Amino acid sequence: MSREPSLLYQVKQVELAVRAQLDDVVRPFGLTTTQYTAMTVLERSPDMTSARLARSSFVTAQSMADIVTALSDSGLIERHRDAKDRRRLVLSLTARGRKVLEDCRGPVAALQERMVTGLSDGAVEDFRSALTLCRQNLGAPDPGSTHVEIAEQQ
C-alpha cells in the first residue's frame, strides 16, 4: 500500500530545492544563501546586532560571526555604533551591499516564478496565506518584523 509523503516531508523537500537553487542564483554575485539571507534581513531592518541578525537569518550566533566577517571583508556590510545606544555595535548594508542585493533581485524573482509555475495568481496568494498560517500555528515569529521572506525580495 502506497502512502502519500507527509506535508512535513514535502515542505522540507521544497526547502532543500529552494536552497540549492538559491545557492546557484547568488553564487555569481559572490554570495552564499546564508549571506544573501543576512543581507536581505539587514535591508529590511538596518542597524541590527549580530545576535538579532543570527536569529532573524535562521543561523547560530557562531555561524553569524563568520558570515559577518565575510560580508564585512567583502565591503557589503559595516559595523558601527548604534546611534541610540553608543555601547552597542550594529550592522548595516554598505552602498556596495545594497547594489549587490539590487543585482540579485531579478534572478531571485525568476527563481520564485519558476517555483510557482503552473499556479494561478489566486493559488499563489492562497499558498502564501497557507504558509503564513502554518508558521503562525507553529508559533514562529512574524517575518515582517525580524525575519526575511526571501521570495518577496523582488
Side-chain angles (χ1 to χ4, degrees):
M1 179 172 147
S2 175
R3 290 185 52 165
E4 293 280 327
S6 74
L7 286 175
L8 295 175
Y9 183 77
Q10 288 184 303
V11 167
K12 186 62 175 180
Q13 285 180 312
V14 171
E15 176 195 0
L16 292 172
V18 167
R19 173 69 185 258
Q21 297 288 315
L22 191 56
D23 280 339
D24 291 342
V25 166
V26 299
R27 187 176 301 114
F29 300 97
L31 298 174
T32 66
T33 297
T34 53
Q35 290 170 339
Y36 173 78
T37 300
M39 289 177 65
T40 61
V41 171
L42 283 176
E43 181 180 44
R44 287 178 170 231
S45 301
D47 297 336
M48 295 180 89
T49 64
S50 183
R52 183 169 172 220
L53 181 58
R55 287 188 302 275
S56 299
S57 300
F58 314 108
V59 299
T60 66
Q62 289 174 317
S63 293
M64 185 52 67
D66 293 337
I67 292 166
V68 166
T69 298
L71 292 174
S72 181
D73 289 351
S74 297
L76 300 173
I77 66 169
E78 63 186 1
R79 290 183 181 138
H80 58 272
R81 296 272 171 207
D82 187 343
K84 297 175 186 161
D85 182 351
R86 302 291 299 160
R87 296 170 296 178
R88 288 180 0 136
L89 279 176
V90 292
L91 304 165
S92 61
L93 293 173
T94 62
R96 182 167 182 254
R98 286 188 294 279
K99 169 79 168 86
V100 167
L101 280 182
E102 186 60 34
D103 292 345
C104 288
R105 284 194 209 298
V108 169
L111 173 60
Q112 176 176 299
E113 285 302 311
R114 195 166 77 236
M115 181 183 77
V116 298
T117 296
L119 297 177
S120 68
D121 290 344
V124 170
E125 287 309 309
D126 289 347
F127 181 51
R128 184 184 309 278
S129 295
L131 289 173
T132 299
L133 182 58
C134 289
R135 178 187 43 78
Q136 291 169 346
N137 289 343
L138 294 172
D142 177 9
S145 61
T146 60
H147 289 76
V148 65
E149 292 181 57
I150 291 172
E152 291 187 4
Q153 299 299 314
Q154 298 179 18

